[in-house]
Amino acid sequence: MAYSGTVGTTVINVQTYIDHGARRAGKLAEELTSEQQISARESLYYLLSNLINMGIQYWCISKKVYGIQPDKYVYDLPVGGNDVLQALYRRMSRPTPNSTGGYTASSGVAANAFDDDITTKCTQNAINGNIAVNFGTGDTVYIGSIGVMAGVTGSFNVVFETSTDGTTWTTLYAPGVTAWVDGEWVWYDIETGVNAQYYRMRETGGNTLSVRELYFGNNATEITMARLNRDDYTNLPNKNFTANQPFQYWFDRTIPQASMYLWPVPSDPFVQMTVWYSRQIMDVGSLTNELEIPQRWQYAIQAMLAHQMALELPGVDMNRILYLEGLGEKAFNLAEQEERDKSPIYYAPNISVYTR
């Protein structure tokens, strides 16, 4: 008996979902007009957008590391972010070179990017420059996160590299083109790091670097932040009270982006906030795109789309519409029951003093 030898490699694009949806509604796929194609694609978008109301899709949990800015207490969730699942205040160590090491740059004052002073800059005078640190002979360091506070606003395509001799460099992380804003942090967590003596950031997109701080960090310590409700936050007597550590936040689910209001207002520019959040599934896009769903959800999405299309296509029998509705609900329930975390659950009752 011959098998394909592959798993999960069959490509189902948007057009395929719409074609199957038409046939399930009793129509030939080639009968669909351009208007009906657009309507079906929009129905698919509505369907995917509504899934967030029915539970957490575990493949749509993302992490963002915010660089804290002094006196700034409102931080926006990325577009499409739905809810904060966990927020953690984070501090990191910043290793310094030993007596045989130091800081270098292709141009500009390299030390300005490592002086813990966000008012100074390492501004270069040529494109595709680099800024590097040598931790010194015999001193290899593991870096878990890299932060950049830009000295100019623009889009940059940098790569972070490591070396054992300062001559031959190996790519550690290439984030691609990223928008930087003057005076704001961008943090890159390195999921698979190495121990190296030399680290550097190099621009590859034809831009000139201007950097206020380049932070190679390790030994991160994270502390859970408490969530306030709207009443608790609005009743705070001094919302502008400052401290090194913001340990509470209120989550404002507004549009176009939800926001986190930190309290106390942070004052230390060298700390971070790690946020794990649920988000919407990626947009449907063009007819040739794939959907951002795992294989286990494909049948459910197909069944639900067929019902949505049957509601809008002309001449579909009501009995077929009702049948497709039931089929879609059954398929959704099967997929949603499997969308679960099988890790152990621990209950920790908090019994405190109370009065009647």
Side-chain angles (χ1 to χ4, degrees):
M1 184 178 295
Y3 300 100
S4 67
T6 62
V7 175
T9 60
T10 301
V11 176
I12 306 295
N13 61 23
V14 173
Q15 183 69 70
T16 303
Y17 282 103
I18 293 175
D19 291 348
H20 279 284
R23 288 190 287 268
R24 291 187 181 204
K27 305 292 182 179
L28 294 176
E30 53 268 27
E31 292 180 357
L32 296 180
T33 66
S34 58
E35 180 183 355
Q36 289 167 340
Q37 288 269 9
I38 294 172
S39 176
R41 190 171 58 180
E42 291 172 346
S43 292
L44 185 55
Y45 168 75
Y46 294 145
L47 192 158
L48 295 177
S49 297
N50 193 49
L51 286 184
I52 199 76
N53 298 321
M54 303 177 185
I56 296 175
Q57 286 71 55
Y58 283 91
W59 71 92
C60 287
I61 295 176
S62 297
K63 181 179 83 168
K64 179 174 176 60
V65 179
Y66 293 83
I68 299 299
Q69 295 177 253
D71 301 324
K72 178 180 177 180
Y73 62 92
V74 181
Y75 293 83
D76 293 335
L77 224 57
V79 175
N82 178 69
D83 195 11
V84 173
L85 304 178
Q86 194 74 20
L88 305 110
Y89 167 82
R90 184 169 84 173
R91 300 192 71 94
M92 302 193 76
S93 299
R94 190 178 197 179
T96 56
N98 63 30
S99 58
T100 62
Y103 307 111
T104 57
S106 54
S107 62
V109 182
N112 285 351
F114 301 92
D115 61 0
D116 294 329
D117 184 352
I118 62 174
T119 64
T120 61
K121 303 180 187 180
C122 175
T123 300
Q124 305 197 327
N125 54 28
I127 65 171
N128 293 343
N130 67 79
I131 305 173
V133 56
N134 171 14
F135 288 109
T137 304
D139 196 355
T140 59
V141 177
Y142 182 94
I143 296 300
S145 190
I146 301 173
V148 181
M149 180 181 280
V152 64
T153 298
S155 294
F156 293 83
N157 189 3
V158 299
V159 294
F160 299 100
E161 300 170 316
T162 62
S163 175
T164 57
D165 57 10
T167 301
T168 303
W169 294 88
T170 302
T171 299
L172 175 67
Y173 182 58
V177 178
T178 307
W180 290 356
V181 177
D182 185 9
E184 294 186 7
W185 286 101
V186 176
W187 283 90
Y188 306 96
D189 278 2
I190 310 301
E191 300 299 336
T192 304
V194 298
N195 285 285
Q197 178 180 334
Y198 296 85
Y199 286 84
R200 77 175 181 182
M201 177 179 70
R202 180 169 60 90
E203 165 64 13
T204 64
N207 298 298
T208 303
L209 289 174
S210 179
V211 175
R212 294 181 183 273
E213 289 292 322
L214 177 56
Y215 195 114
F216 292 99
N218 61 12
N219 298 327
T221 300
E222 295 185 328
I223 301 173
T224 301
M225 298 172 63
R227 185 164 176 166
L228 297 170
N229 61 41
R230 182 187 299 270
D231 289 340
D232 288 340
Y233 181 79
T234 56
N235 288 330
L236 288 172
N238 184 0
K239 297 177 183 61
N240 295 319
F241 174 74
T242 60
N244 285 338
Q245 176 180 336
F247 53 85
Q248 297 180 97
Y249 69 94
W250 166 52
F251 186 57
D252 183 15
R253 300 183 70 179
T254 186
I255 55 175
Q257 292 171 258
S259 301
M260 298 176 67
Y261 286 68
L262 308 189
W263 192 87
V265 177
S267 59
D268 187 345
F270 293 96
V271 297
Q272 303 87 45
M273 177 176 63
T274 304
V275 177
W276 295 87
Y277 63 97
S278 61
R279 61 169 176 82
Q280 292 282 359
I281 298 171
M282 289 183 185
D283 292 341
V284 173
S286 69
L287 294 174
T288 58
N289 284 351
E290 296 179 58
L291 297 180
E292 192 203 10
I293 58 173
Q295 186 176 348
R296 64 182 181 273
W297 271 88
Q298 289 178 348
Y299 178 73
I301 297 301
Q302 181 66 79
M304 290 189 288
L305 176 62
H307 172 244
Q308 294 299 313
M309 290 180 62
L311 291 173
E312 297 192 7
L313 290 174
V316 179
D317 183 75
M318 180 57 68
N319 289 329
R320 182 186 286 268
I321 293 176
L322 294 175
Y323 173 75
L324 291 175
E325 181 181 19
L327 192 64
E329 289 179 353
K330 181 179 179 180
F332 167 78
N333 288 333
L334 288 173
E336 183 63 20
Q337 287 172 15
E338 172 56 26
E339 200 64 24
R340 65 194 192 277
D341 187 346
K342 297 181 180 180
S343 59
I345 298 175
Y346 298 95
Y347 294 95
N350 182 13
I351 302 175
S352 56
V353 177
Y354 65 94
T355 58
R356 297 181 120 182

